[in-house]
Amino acid sequence: RMADTEDDDGRLRMDAAEEQRLKAAVHYAVGEIVSQQQEAEGLEFTKQFIAALTETTYRMFGAHSSCLTALRSQHWAHHGTMAADL
């Protein structure tokens, strides 16, 4: 379960083990997508490419997470109590 604490920017914070599990899940998903493309297109990708794509994807999630957190905050500000508060 991810930590429910937020940093000063309103982003959720994770401990190191949670972050490692999330990175592993992103790496697995990226690897699966790349494997499908390799089979469909007859292309070959290096492990370095998959690692770089994984890191880029992970960082993009981080960049967009603050937008999602802000959107969530705005939504619940208009609708009252959040489900986690119940």
Side-chain angles (χ1 to χ4, degrees), residues 43-55:
L43 302 172
E44 288 196 30
F45 298 100
T46 65
K47 290 180 181 181
Q48 292 83 3
F49 172 79
I50 296 169
L53 186 57
T54 297
E55 185 63 26

Side-chain angles (χ1 to χ4, degrees), residues 6-72:
E6 294 182 0
D7 64 13
D8 294 336
D9 295 330
R11 290 182 286 194
L12 293 176
R13 289 185 291 170
M14 292 182 275
D15 65 25
E18 290 169 327
E19 184 171 7
Q20 208 54 32
R21 284 191 297 273
L22 181 57
K23 281 186 176 183
V26 171
H27 182 76
Y28 176 79
V30 167
E32 287 295 307
I33 292 167
V34 168
S35 291
Q36 291 171 4
Q37 289 302 305
Q38 286 182 147
E39 290 176 20
E41 305 294 330
L43 302 172
E44 288 196 30
F45 298 100
T46 65
K47 290 180 181 181
Q48 292 83 3
F49 172 79
I50 296 169
L53 186 57
T54 297
E55 185 63 26
T56 301
T57 302
Y58 185 81
R59 287 182 186 207
M60 291 303 295
F61 285 155
H64 292 290
S65 68
S66 60
C67 295
L68 293 172
T69 300
L71 181 63
R72 178 193 69 183

Side-chain angles (χ1 to χ4, degrees), residues 4 81-86:
D4 291 335
T81 307
M82 290 178 62
D85 295 336
L86 298 176

